[in-house]
């Protein structure tokens, strides 16, 4: 069993009410091999919501209290991101999932890139909050870009 980002499964849960449909993910869910989760919704957000970025570091820094997740209006939403990450971890453990496929570039789900925290559309190397927590717990996290065809 694998866990996948809900937006990759075609659910309109992204901050702007859209999805990032990935046909391979849809196939995995239809075949009962994957379960969809959205860490941001699990953390208490609703759709749509203000876009957010990690300011001052990456997801690992957020876990250590050295960085924050801030929305476009300057509101610190770190606690909601942390809550969603820990709830996602619970689900992954309960399902005994061996792989998690999360949406690249997200402040929650990015696995190799996130936005730079200045809301200027610039990406940088780094992991989102949920990815950092899962990896810290020894769980393999990849992005949709790394899925085998």
């Amino acid at each position: 069993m694998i866990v996948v980002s809900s937006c990759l499964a075609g659910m309109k849960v992204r901050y702007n009410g859209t999805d990032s449909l990935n046909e391979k993910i849809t196939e995995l869910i239809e075949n009962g091999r994957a379960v969809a989760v959205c860490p941001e919704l699990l953390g208490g957000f609703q759709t749509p919501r203000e876009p957010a970025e990690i300011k001052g570091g990456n997801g690992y820094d957020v876990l250590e209290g050295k960085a924050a997740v801030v929305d476009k209006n300057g509101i610190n939403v770190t606690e909601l991101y942390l809550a969603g990450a820990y709830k996602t971890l619970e689900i992954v453990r309960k399902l005994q999932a061996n792989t998690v496929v999360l949406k690249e570039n997200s402040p929650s789900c990015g696995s190799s890139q996130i936005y730079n925290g200045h809301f200027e559309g610039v990406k940088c190397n780094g992991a989102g909050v949920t990815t950092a927590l899962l990896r810290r717990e020894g769980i393999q996290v990849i992005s949709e870009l790394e899925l085998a065809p």
Side-chain angles (χ1 to χ4, degrees), residues 75-142:
I75 298 170
N76 186 324
V77 291
T78 303
E79 290 306 315
L80 294 173
Y81 275 82
L82 289 169
Y86 280 98
K87 286 180 181 176
T88 300
L89 175 62
E90 281 179 38
I91 292 167
V92 169
R93 285 182 171 159
K94 186 175 183 178
L95 294 171
Q96 298 179 333
N98 54 9
T99 303
V100 179
V101 182
L102 298 178
K103 178 70 183 110
E104 193 65 273
N105 306 319
S106 160
S108 189
C109 299
S111 61
S112 63
Q113 288 203 316
I114 55 174
Y115 287 94
N116 71 358
H118 299 289
F119 297 95
E120 52 196 23
V122 176
K123 297 173 193 171
C124 61
N125 292 334
V129 178
T130 298
T131 295
L133 177 64
L134 296 176
R135 285 182 175 161
R136 192 176 76 182
E137 295 295 316
I139 297 161
Q140 178 186 13
V141 180
I142 63 172

Side-chain angles (χ1 to χ4, degrees), residues 24-76:
K24 180 67 175 169
I25 297 290
T26 304
E27 184 181 311
L28 290 169
I29 289 177
E30 287 172 356
N31 292 332
R33 296 181 52 220
V35 172
V37 300
C38 176
E40 294 175 19
L41 293 185
L42 289 171
F45 285 102
Q46 297 193 1
T47 303
R49 56 191 169 276
E50 287 297 317
E53 296 184 8
I54 298 173
K55 237 181 175 24
N58 59 43
Y60 293 100
D61 298 316
V62 172
L63 293 175
E64 295 171 12
K66 298 176 182 175
V69 187
V70 179
D71 76 13
K72 196 167 186 169
N73 293 323
I75 298 170
N76 186 324

